[in-house]
Amino acid sequence: MTPEKKIVRLEEFLQMDKENEHRLEYFDGEVVYLESPSVKHQQVLLNIAAEFRNYFRGKSCEIFISPLDVWLKNEEKTAKVKVQPDLMVICDKTGLMENAYEGVPVLVIEIISTSNQTHDRIRKYSTYMEFGINEYWMVNPELKTVEVYVLEENEYKQAAIYKGSDCAASQTFNELKICLEEIFPSNNN
């Protein structure tokens, strides 16, 4: 099941977002209602976040997990886009506000599920590429894989697909490696 979509003006969306208990994303007029994540999704996200937290402790960049509204913004784009990545690495903290971030994270991770696969693989992939997010990881808990994409000459190039006992490596942050056996729960929850 793909996320439900609706077309509205930005002002309408901002009002909807305040009044709505659902997580919403906005793609220049199109509203996407996000489903609640599964238990497996949350387990994988927390495992990744713990590994990232250990790596970034004491460094200038900081990690955040969903739900945090990210208004993608750069000088070249006029589109209004609000996303809620599962995990993001933010190095330019000037865009941090109390409940949101405005700017472009350096690295974004999305946990793929059957209900959001098209949204993450097509919509978010192209949006993140268009706004210049340097590195995009797609994590699939069902297949126990991590796909890493790096922005080169304004296009994503697949750096690697990790599986099994591999350790996924960031192409942006030296020595940031996460072994898949540490992030995927071994039980069948």
Side-chain angles (χ1 to χ4, degrees):
M1 181 164 101
T2 59
E4 184 183 337
K5 298 172 187 160
K6 182 178 180 178
I7 305 295
V8 299
R9 292 186 340 268
L10 179 61
E11 296 76 25
E12 289 176 86
F13 170 74
L14 294 173
Q15 191 62 37
M16 286 172 64
D17 204 20
K18 281 182 191 172
E19 299 170 352
N20 204 309
E21 60 191 47
H22 294 95
R23 296 182 325 137
L24 304 176
E25 293 184 325
Y26 185 77
F27 293 88
D28 206 24
E30 184 178 320
V31 177
V32 178
Y33 293 80
L34 302 175
E35 294 182 11
S36 294
S38 69
V39 169
K40 187 181 285 190
H41 176 284
Q42 292 297 82
Q43 289 171 327
V44 170
L45 176 59
L46 287 174
N47 290 342
I48 293 171
E51 297 290 326
F52 268 63
R53 181 72 184 129
N54 288 338
Y55 175 83
F56 283 102
R57 184 170 280 122
K59 294 182 172 63
S60 62
C61 298
E62 197 168 344
I63 68 156
F64 294 89
I65 59 172
S66 184
L68 176 68
D69 292 341
V70 175
W71 286 94
L72 293 176
K73 181 179 179 181
N74 68 25
E75 288 89 38
E76 299 152 17
K77 304 293 175 206
T78 58
K80 301 290 184 199
V81 176
K82 182 195 109 172
V83 291
Q84 287 194 352
D86 290 317
L87 185 144
M88 69 222 79
V89 177
I90 295 174
C91 297
D92 177 5
K93 297 180 192 172
T94 58
L96 282 173
M97 298 172 269
E98 184 177 341
N99 296 317
Y101 175 71
E102 188 175 279
V104 178
V106 175
L107 185 151
V108 165
I109 294 178
E110 295 288 358
I111 313 286
I112 305 275
S113 69
T114 51
S115 67
N116 72 2
Q117 194 164 182
T118 302
H119 184 61
D120 289 342
R121 287 196 175 282
I122 297 170
R123 168 58 67 77
K124 284 190 168 181
Y125 175 95
S126 61
T127 300
Y128 293 162
M129 183 170 59
E130 179 181 336
F131 276 88
I133 293 175
N134 195 55
E135 191 167 340
Y136 180 33
W137 291 26
M138 281 190 263
V139 177
N140 188 323
E142 295 303 320
L143 298 177
K144 297 184 177 184
T145 60
V146 175
E147 300 171 38
V148 175
Y149 297 88
V150 178
L151 196 63
E152 293 178 9
E153 298 175 13
N154 299 319
E155 287 192 23
Y156 278 138
K157 306 288 188 222
Q158 188 174 68
I161 299 177
Y162 299 98
K163 59 186 176 188
S165 60
D166 292 344
C167 294
S170 171
Q171 305 299 300
T172 305
F173 298 101
N174 293 335
E175 299 177 15
L176 173 56
K177 290 183 174 55
I178 298 179
C179 295
L180 274 56
E181 293 171 338
E182 297 292 322
I183 62 170
F184 294 118
S186 56
N187 59 16
N188 292 327
N189 288 347

